[in-house]
Amino acid sequence: MINVLEPQNEQLKQFVDSIYIFKRSVSKLEFTAYPSANISVALLRNAIVSVREGLIYIENSDTPNHFSIACNQFSGSVHLQYLQLVDEIAINFKPLGFPSYTRSKPENSEIFSVREWNKFLPDLFRIVFETEAREQQLYYIEQFLLEQYLPLPDEAILLKALKLLTDTTTNYKMQEIADLVGMHYKHLYRQFTENVGCNPTHYRKLEKFRSSVVSKLKKGNKSRLVDICYAHDYTDQPYFIKQFKELTGERPARFFKEVTSFGNDKVIFKIE
């Protein structure tokens, strides 16, 4: 149902997790997107977006328009309902990808505008939707992204810090990471939080959650939840359950019964 594309360009692989495309139709879709350290940007054509009682509604607009919105999933699950599918190109950025390609900082809001791209969208939608060939659509989107790329001043240091932070074999503290990457602790903490969108402690929590989810989905019934718990460095099973409930509102057993993944587990939804 959802065609998930993976970047082919080597530079984009470092900053973009996945891309997917919806084509306008009368079909409806409702799903829950679970917490992640990634930031998704939806490029929309002829659409209306509204937020009511914590649910994001998307529907067709009779008035032509093009605009971009970003979705922040740091603090919890995000619920979306498409009253009709609209023309959409969604780009799921890995940490540091969002500021490097949009030249904007992540905002502490469930959804927020990405105005930097709006002037380019009419041409992008025209060329992408002129073809049905997925490989050609991906090529056009990648070329657009590569033209927007502006590396962060401390990009190499922040990338190294991200890698060390998610190394479960070492469990480095932030001061140790600051020493290893050669940046003052306070400056690293501030740069990390501003450009990733959440602080290092919360980032590590999100990464452990997503890693455990992907591991369980790949192994299926061959793995027990208790094994997933210890393999991903949770203290014990009660703590594992507590973390899942905090992030998803559900216990792990129920979560894994209802979750659906697409594109090599790149996109993890609960379809309503």
Side-chain angles (χ1 to χ4, degrees):
M1 183 175 64
I2 299 175
N3 293 300
V4 180
L5 309 175
E6 295 186 36
Q8 299 301 303
N9 178 274
E10 290 303 316
Q11 176 192 299
L12 290 174
K13 287 179 182 179
Q14 194 169 24
F15 296 104
V16 177
D17 189 61
S18 57
I19 298 166
Y20 54 93
I21 300 169
F22 287 143
K23 191 172 183 179
R24 181 177 177 133
S25 76
V26 296
S27 300
K28 296 182 180 181
L29 176 64
E30 184 176 352
F31 63 85
T32 298
Y34 290 101
S36 171
N38 293 346
I39 294 179
S40 295
V41 177
L43 317 182
L44 301 163
R45 178 166 69 176
N46 303 338
I48 299 170
V49 177
S50 57
V51 181
R52 302 192 295 273
E53 297 179 350
L55 187 65
I56 300 170
Y57 291 90
I58 300 174
E59 58 189 307
N60 290 317
S61 170
D62 294 330
T63 303
N65 62 46
H66 294 82
F67 61 96
S68 309
I69 58 170
C71 184
N72 173 346
Q73 297 167 233
F74 301 135
S75 57
S77 301
V78 175
H79 308 279
L80 297 98
Q81 184 176 108
Y82 289 78
L83 301 179
Q84 307 95 25
L85 291 183
V86 302
D87 288 343
E88 176 180 344
I89 301 166
I91 301 163
N92 192 23
F93 283 109
K94 296 179 181 179
L96 302 186
F98 180 81
S100 297
Y101 289 85
T102 67
R103 306 179 191 186
S104 304
K105 300 296 185 184
E107 295 184 19
N108 187 24
S109 177
E110 196 170 67
I111 60 170
F112 53 95
S113 297
V114 185
R115 295 181 179 85
E116 184 71 28
W117 284 1
N118 290 350
K119 58 189 174 184
F120 304 114
L121 297 187
D123 288 340
L124 178 64
F125 271 92
R126 177 184 53 77
I127 195 169
V128 169
F129 282 85
E130 276 181 353
T131 179
E132 295 288 333
R134 292 295 177 187
E135 296 81 3
Q136 196 66 30
Q137 288 179 327
L138 178 61
Y139 172 79
Y140 292 137
I141 295 168
E142 288 197 330
Q143 291 307 302
F144 165 74
L145 289 172
L146 290 170
E147 290 172 4
Q148 310 310 313
Y149 177 62
L150 183 66
L152 298 170
D154 295 315
E155 180 183 278
I157 291 175
L158 290 170
L159 285 170
K160 187 175 179 181
L162 282 165
K163 186 175 181 180
L164 291 170
L165 196 62
T166 52
D167 184 354
T168 57
T169 63
T170 55
N171 283 320
Y172 287 120
K173 294 179 180 178
M174 203 58 190
Q175 181 61 64
E176 294 174 307
I177 292 173
D179 293 340
L180 287 168
V181 301
M183 181 181 282
H184 190 276
Y185 169 83
K186 288 185 178 179
H187 184 59
L188 177 60
Y189 189 95
R190 183 171 60 252
Q191 288 291 91
F192 186 102
T193 304
E194 286 181 1
N195 290 294
V196 174
C198 62
N199 66 51
T201 301
H202 193 65
Y203 171 78
R204 179 176 268 162
K205 180 179 179 179
L206 290 172
E207 284 298 292
K208 283 176 66 174
F209 164 73
R210 298 293 289 199
S211 177
S212 64
V213 169
V214 171
S215 178
K216 174 63 177 170
L217 290 173
K218 287 185 180 297
K219 294 176 181 178
N221 293 331
K222 294 180 180 178
S223 65
R224 300 178 304 162
L225 287 176
V226 65
D227 297 328
I228 296 294
C229 161
Y230 290 116
H232 291 82
D233 201 38
Y234 286 96
T235 310
D236 52 36
Q237 198 165 6
Y239 181 66
F240 177 65
I241 293 170
K242 180 184 177 183
Q243 292 285 291
F244 258 72
K245 288 186 72 175
E246 283 183 7
L247 291 172
T248 70
E250 300 173 353
R251 294 174 66 87
R254 179 174 179 179
F255 171 86
F256 284 110
K257 283 182 180 179
E258 298 181 344
V259 73
T260 303
S261 67
F262 302 90
N264 296 321
D265 301 320
K266 293 287 185 180
V267 178
I268 299 169
F269 290 156
K270 179 172 76 173
I271 304 295
E272 307 294 342

